[in-house]
Amino acid sequence: MQDTIELKSISHHFDTASERIDLFRDLSCTIRADETLAIIGPSGTGKSSLLSIAAGLEIPTGGDVSFTIDGVQVDALTMRANSGFIFQQFHLMPELDAIGNLALPLRLKGNRDAFEIAALWLEKVGLEDRARHRPHQLSGGEQQRVAVARAFVTGPRFIFADEPTGNLDMHTSENVAGLMFDCARETGCGLVVVTHSRQLASLADRCLLLETGQLKATS
């Protein structure tokens, strides 16, 4: 059964003290779990808000969002429970070592094999020798690789990544981006990435441009 996110004529705005700022209006898009999707566009166009809406983290000010898992429509809470997230900031727990950070989401779900699964993912991202290192003992690229593995470790249906290479140098960005897309394709997980990087976006199966409130397919 296909897992999908359907955005139906969604609009979004926010209010300042003096005016209402419209980010976008009447956007429609279907996102499937068997594809990787990049969303690009200038700063301030609402890319991160669009990602949050698609992930069920934020409610649009207009329109509807529907989530389907295994052919059954589910609510936003269920969608979030079946999703993984990667951010520009690594958001690792500073008091936990690398394997502890990976095991945590599994332990919270009551998985008794949390550390064994975490160890497999550390190996997958090439950090098995850093298992007992805490975040401050890791480079930025290593921290983001841990964050990528943490997003995938629970076997989510979708991964949402907001500027995942924004804090990394070009060489490290390429490595992390390649790893992220490889993991998505290997696990069959849908990947939605917001990025300023055309190079990162070129790795996706499909790319959409958010500009002047409109969402357009781009090559």
Short mmCIF file of all heavy atoms in Angstrom, two decimals, residues 5 7 50-59 65 67 75-77 79-80 83 85 160:
data_model
loop_
_atom_site.label_atom_id
_atom_site.label_comp_id
_atom_site.label_asym_id
_atom_site.label_seq_id
_atom_site.Cartn_x
_atom_site.Cartn_y
_atom_site.Cartn_z
N ILE A 5 1.46 11.82 1.25
CA ILE A 5 1.05 13.08 1.88
C ILE A 5 0.43 13.92 0.77
O ILE A 5 1.07 14.14 -0.26
CB ILE A 5 2.25 13.82 2.49
CG1 ILE A 5 2.96 12.94 3.51
CG2 ILE A 5 1.81 15.14 3.12
CD1 ILE A 5 4.35 13.44 3.85
N LEU A 7 -1.16 17.55 -0.14
CA LEU A 7 -1.44 18.95 0.19
C LEU A 7 -2.49 19.45 -0.79
O LEU A 7 -2.29 19.40 -2.00
CB LEU A 7 -0.17 19.79 0.08
CG LEU A 7 1.07 19.25 0.79
CD1 LEU A 7 2.26 20.18 0.55
CD2 LEU A 7 0.82 19.08 2.28
N LEU A 50 6.45 25.09 4.67
CA LEU A 50 5.86 24.07 3.81
C LEU A 50 6.29 22.68 4.27
O LEU A 50 5.47 21.75 4.32
CB LEU A 50 6.27 24.32 2.36
CG LEU A 50 5.71 23.35 1.31
CD1 LEU A 50 4.19 23.36 1.30
CD2 LEU A 50 6.26 23.69 -0.08
N LEU A 51 7.55 22.53 4.62
CA LEU A 51 8.06 21.25 5.11
C LEU A 51 7.36 20.86 6.40
O LEU A 51 6.95 19.70 6.58
CB LEU A 51 9.57 21.33 5.33
CG LEU A 51 10.28 20.03 5.68
CD1 LEU A 51 10.47 19.17 4.44
CD2 LEU A 51 11.63 20.29 6.33
N SER A 52 7.21 21.81 7.32
CA SER A 52 6.54 21.53 8.60
C SER A 52 5.09 21.13 8.40
O SER A 52 4.57 20.26 9.11
CB SER A 52 6.63 22.76 9.52
OG SER A 52 7.96 23.01 9.90
N ILE A 53 4.43 21.76 7.46
CA ILE A 53 3.03 21.41 7.16
C ILE A 53 2.95 20.00 6.59
O ILE A 53 2.10 19.19 6.98
CB ILE A 53 2.42 22.44 6.19
CG1 ILE A 53 2.22 23.78 6.92
CG2 ILE A 53 1.10 21.94 5.61
CD1 ILE A 53 1.90 24.94 5.99
N ALA A 54 3.86 19.68 5.67
CA ALA A 54 3.87 18.35 5.06
C ALA A 54 4.16 17.26 6.10
O ALA A 54 3.69 16.13 5.98
CB ALA A 54 4.90 18.29 3.94
N ALA A 55 4.93 17.62 7.13
CA ALA A 55 5.30 16.66 8.17
C ALA A 55 4.25 16.54 9.27
O ALA A 55 4.39 15.71 10.17
CB ALA A 55 6.64 17.05 8.78
N GLY A 56 3.24 17.40 9.24
CA GLY A 56 2.23 17.38 10.28
C GLY A 56 2.64 18.10 11.54
O GLY A 56 2.02 17.94 12.59
N LEU A 57 3.70 18.92 11.44
CA LEU A 57 4.16 19.69 12.59
C LEU A 57 3.46 21.03 12.71
O LEU A 57 3.45 21.63 13.79
CB LEU A 57 5.67 19.93 12.48
CG LEU A 57 6.58 18.71 12.48
CD1 LEU A 57 8.01 19.12 12.19
CD2 LEU A 57 6.49 17.98 13.82
N GLU A 58 2.90 21.50 11.61
CA GLU A 58 2.28 22.82 11.57
C GLU A 58 0.99 22.70 10.76
O GLU A 58 0.90 21.90 9.82
CB GLU A 58 3.26 23.79 10.90
CG GLU A 58 2.97 25.26 11.12
CD GLU A 58 4.11 26.15 10.63
OE1 GLU A 58 5.24 25.65 10.43
OE2 GLU A 58 3.87 27.36 10.45
N ILE A 59 -0.01 23.50 11.14
CA ILE A 59 -1.30 23.48 10.45
C ILE A 59 -1.37 24.67 9.49
O ILE A 59 -1.10 25.81 9.90
CB ILE A 59 -2.46 23.56 11.45
CG1 ILE A 59 -2.41 22.35 12.40
CG2 ILE A 59 -3.80 23.61 10.73
CD1 ILE A 59 -3.39 22.45 13.55
N VAL A 65 -4.56 19.02 4.50
CA VAL A 65 -3.45 18.08 4.35
C VAL A 65 -3.95 16.70 4.78
O VAL A 65 -4.56 16.57 5.85
CB VAL A 65 -2.24 18.48 5.22
CG1 VAL A 65 -1.08 17.53 4.96
CG2 VAL A 65 -1.82 19.91 4.95
N PHE A 67 -2.85 12.53 5.26
CA PHE A 67 -1.74 11.59 5.39
C PHE A 67 -2.28 10.17 5.26
O PHE A 67 -3.27 9.82 5.90
CB PHE A 67 -1.07 11.73 6.76
CG PHE A 67 -0.69 13.14 7.12
CD1 PHE A 67 -1.44 13.87 8.04
CD2 PHE A 67 0.41 13.75 6.54
CE1 PHE A 67 -1.10 15.16 8.39
CE2 PHE A 67 0.76 15.06 6.87
CZ PHE A 67 0.01 15.76 7.79
N ASP A 75 -4.01 10.58 11.24
CA ASP A 75 -3.92 11.96 11.69
C ASP A 75 -2.46 12.42 11.75
O ASP A 75 -1.52 11.63 11.55
CB ASP A 75 -4.61 12.16 13.04
CG ASP A 75 -4.02 11.29 14.15
OD1 ASP A 75 -2.89 10.78 13.99
OD2 ASP A 75 -4.69 11.13 15.19
N ALA A 76 -2.26 13.70 12.04
CA ALA A 76 -0.92 14.28 12.04
C ALA A 76 -0.04 13.65 13.11
O ALA A 76 1.17 13.46 12.90
CB ALA A 76 -1.00 15.80 12.25
N LEU A 77 -0.61 13.29 14.25
CA LEU A 77 0.16 12.68 15.33
C LEU A 77 0.74 11.34 14.89
O LEU A 77 1.91 11.03 15.14
CB LEU A 77 -0.72 12.51 16.57
CG LEU A 77 -0.03 11.97 17.83
CD1 LEU A 77 1.06 12.93 18.29
CD2 LEU A 77 -1.05 11.73 18.94
N MET A 79 1.24 10.48 11.81
CA MET A 79 2.23 10.79 10.77
C MET A 79 3.57 11.12 11.40
O MET A 79 4.62 10.61 10.96
CB MET A 79 1.73 11.97 9.94
CG MET A 79 2.67 12.38 8.82
SD MET A 79 2.86 11.07 7.61
CE MET A 79 4.31 11.68 6.76
N ARG A 80 3.57 11.96 12.42
CA ARG A 80 4.83 12.33 13.07
C ARG A 80 5.51 11.12 13.70
O ARG A 80 6.74 11.01 13.71
CB ARG A 80 4.58 13.41 14.13
CG ARG A 80 4.13 14.74 13.56
CD ARG A 80 4.27 15.86 14.56
NE ARG A 80 3.40 15.71 15.72
CZ ARG A 80 2.16 16.15 15.81
NH1 ARG A 80 1.60 16.78 14.78
NH2 ARG A 80 1.46 16.00 16.92
N SER A 83 7.66 9.30 11.19
CA SER A 83 8.57 10.17 10.45
C SER A 83 9.88 10.36 11.20
O SER A 83 9.95 10.19 12.41
CB SER A 83 7.92 11.55 10.22
OG SER A 83 6.74 11.44 9.47
N PHE A 85 13.37 13.19 11.35
CA PHE A 85 13.66 14.60 11.07
C PHE A 85 15.16 14.87 11.15
O PHE A 85 15.85 14.37 12.04
CB PHE A 85 12.91 15.50 12.07
CG PHE A 85 11.42 15.32 12.02
CD1 PHE A 85 10.79 14.38 12.82
CD2 PHE A 85 10.65 16.06 11.13
CE1 PHE A 85 9.42 14.19 12.76
CE2 PHE A 85 9.28 15.88 11.07
CZ PHE A 85 8.66 14.95 11.87
N PHE A 160 12.06 14.07 6.88
CA PHE A 160 11.97 15.48 6.52
C PHE A 160 13.27 16.17 6.94
O PHE A 160 13.65 16.10 8.12
CB PHE A 160 10.77 16.13 7.21
CG PHE A 160 9.46 15.50 6.82
CD1 PHE A 160 8.92 14.47 7.57
CD2 PHE A 160 8.79 15.92 5.68
CE1 PHE A 160 7.72 13.88 7.21
CE2 PHE A 160 7.58 15.33 5.30
CZ PHE A 160 7.05 14.31 6.07
#
